[in-house]
Amino acid sequence: MKRDKQLDLYRGLSMIYVVCFIHVMYWLKIGTEPLNSFILVEMPLIFFISGASLSVSKSSRSFVQTVQSRIKRVLIPYYIYAFMMVFIVALLSVVWYFWYPQIEHIFGIKVASKYMFNITTYRWNDIFAILSCSNIPQSPCVWHLWFILPYLILSCTFEIQKKALDRVNKGGYCIMCIVAFAIISAITNNFLLRYIFCYNIFMVIGFCYYKNIKIKRIVIVGVISVLIVAFLCWQGAVFCPMQNHKFPPDFLFVAYNLIFLCVVSLLFSRIVIPEFKILQLWNERGYTLYLYQSIVFFVVFAIHLAVINKISNNFIQAVLCIIIMFFLSTCVSYITYPLERLIMKQFHIIK
């Protein structure tokens, strides 16, 4: 089957959107409401594209083969990244111990503790957090790691759902996924369970309906989603900040992102994205760029704190930080991506 190059470009664009826009606005606290809430659509989009990618792929794998593939493509690169981040924590521990007064002076911030970075305080629960992809203690800017485990679980188990979708009505199955999420949301606040059932909705929709749905149906789903959001707000749900509806995800978050997907689907059904090399790079190296953004953000955070933060206009601050984040992330990928591939080849994980 001919490769869907537009889908690759969508993936590249979505990774730029997450790393260089969403995280700049949130992590550097540059964005303000209600803009922050309106733009919080990145993860449903990522999972929609993941589902769409599976729909255009004709390769058939067993569950075991799928798990093996996901371990190679998701888990092993994460562990390589985690090892590097722990190494950075070790270096920062030495630097912080001897130079923290100078750091306070240079950046004009009050450091809470001389031992903010101290790898010798690592305990078994810290090691477990690293192994379970949930955190790298003391490592700066690792708030993005929450995504890895639900993505790994969904991508490993989706082969089972594909077999079910071959036997049932796709529209009915999507409704069943939404109902399942509603039930899980009602009975638990467990973040991981809510992530899995929430983002599975968008993955299933991407698989079922990418380039396979009439405009009329998109409009109907969009209108219904608007009515659901309006009803929930009328019932007392507060739209802003949307971050409160994302962690953990709730029904308002799902309905709002369904509206966004409908709008984007209508828009991009009429637009052909040029095949820019930079988008192809962000598609090919997307996961690596996503992982190592923490290193880049540590630098961007310092630049923002020392220089850009002194600019009074938030818009100019945001534009500068987005440009710097994009440029540095792209440059760093020329080190991290080949290094990651080299390590995996040395261990015969990839050829």
Side-chain angles (χ1 to χ4, degrees):
M1 186 177 183
K2 188 177 178 181
R3 187 174 182 87
D4 191 329
K5 293 184 178 180
Q6 284 295 294
L7 191 57
D8 291 339
L9 298 175
Y10 296 154
R11 192 183 294 106
L13 271 176
S14 65
M15 292 311 302
I16 293 172
Y17 181 72
V18 173
V19 173
C20 302
F21 185 66
I22 291 293
H23 290 170
V24 163
M25 301 297 278
Y26 273 90
W27 291 7
L28 297 179
K29 301 187 186 302
I30 296 175
T32 56
E33 294 294 354
L35 177 63
N36 275 6
S37 292
F38 288 133
I39 64 175
L40 207 61
V41 294
E42 74 289 0
M43 284 307 161
L45 184 61
I46 293 288
F47 280 93
F48 176 86
I49 292 172
S50 296
S53 299
L54 291 170
S55 74
V56 299
S57 173
K58 291 300 181 182
S59 61
S60 181
R61 294 173 176 165
S62 67
F63 175 72
V64 173
Q65 289 173 326
T66 302
V67 171
Q68 290 174 339
S69 172
R70 292 297 94 185
I71 288 173
K72 288 181 181 179
R73 294 171 64 90
V74 179
L75 206 55
I76 300 301
Y78 162 75
Y79 284 138
I80 295 170
Y81 157 80
F83 177 83
M84 293 183 183
M85 294 305 294
V86 170
F87 178 72
I88 290 173
V89 170
L91 290 178
L92 287 173
S93 298
V94 176
V95 171
W96 207 261
Y97 181 82
F98 290 105
W99 292 348
Y100 87 100
Q102 288 80 0
I103 293 171
E104 283 186 336
H105 176 72
I106 292 170
F107 293 109
I109 57 174
K110 184 67 178 176
V111 178
S113 169
K114 182 177 181 177
Y115 303 103
M116 183 173 289
F117 295 104
N118 186 358
I119 198 167
T120 64
T121 64
Y122 265 29
R123 297 293 180 263
W124 284 111
N125 60 325
D126 297 313
I127 296 171
F128 178 75
I130 295 170
L131 294 176
S132 62
C133 311
S134 57
N135 189 21
I136 302 175
Q138 300 179 36
S139 186
C141 308
V142 291
W143 305 293
H144 61 310
L145 297 184
W146 70 267
F147 161 82
I148 296 173
L149 199 52
Y151 177 75
L152 181 64
I153 292 170
L154 282 173
S155 58
C156 283
T157 58
F158 202 81
E159 200 67 32
I160 299 170
Q161 293 196 79
K162 281 172 66 176
K163 288 179 171 57
L165 284 163
D166 288 337
R167 296 177 172 85
V168 301
N169 177 272
K170 289 180 172 58
Y173 191 88
C174 289
I175 293 172
M176 187 176 70
C177 290
I178 294 172
V179 171
F181 170 70
I183 293 170
I184 290 296
S185 299
I187 64 177
T188 181
N189 280 325
N190 181 278
F191 276 46
L192 181 58
L193 278 175
R194 298 267 287 262
Y195 292 151
I196 292 169
F197 280 86
C198 168
Y199 294 115
N200 184 58
I201 294 170
F202 299 99
M203 202 164 178
V204 169
I205 290 173
F207 179 81
C208 292
Y209 294 115
Y210 175 67
K211 290 187 175 180
N212 189 32
I213 186 172
K214 295 179 181 179
I215 291 177
K216 181 181 177 181
R217 287 193 177 184
I218 296 175
V219 173
I220 291 172
V221 172
V223 170
I224 292 172
S225 300
V226 168
L227 293 174
I228 291 172
V229 170
F231 175 76
L232 291 173
C233 291
W234 179 63
Q235 287 293 305
V238 180
F239 186 85
C240 297
M242 183 58 69
Q243 190 87 330
N244 291 345
H245 301 288
K246 180 181 177 183
F247 296 110
D250 61 16
F251 212 74
L252 180 62
F253 178 76
V254 169
Y256 172 67
N257 276 278
L258 284 174
I259 297 171
F260 170 77
L261 278 180
C262 289
V263 172
V264 168
S265 298
L266 292 171
L267 181 65
F268 280 92
S269 64
R270 300 177 177 274
I271 295 176
V272 176
I273 303 174
E275 294 182 29
F276 295 118
K277 288 186 177 180
I278 194 67
L279 290 182
Q280 294 169 346
L281 181 146
W282 274 78
N283 167 52
E284 181 186 4
R285 305 177 182 180
Y287 184 55
T288 305
L289 282 154
Y290 182 84
L291 287 174
Y292 291 89
Q293 66 178 293
S294 54
I295 296 175
V296 182
F297 255 107
F298 192 57
V299 176
V300 174
F301 180 80
I303 295 171
H304 178 256
L305 200 61
V307 181
I308 298 176
N309 194 39
K310 295 178 172 54
I311 301 172
S312 58
N313 189 299
N314 269 25
F315 177 77
I316 296 175
Q317 282 190 40
V319 171
L320 290 174
C321 289
I322 288 168
I323 292 171
I324 294 170
M325 187 66 202
F326 175 76
F327 175 75
L328 290 181
S329 294
T330 304
C331 291
V332 168
S333 76
Y334 281 95
I335 300 171
T336 55
Y337 185 72
L339 181 61
E340 176 188 283
R341 306 294 288 181
L342 177 63
I343 293 171
M344 293 177 74
K345 284 180 181 178
Q346 289 296 316
F347 285 92
H348 305 289
I349 297 168
I350 59 172
K351 295 180 181 180

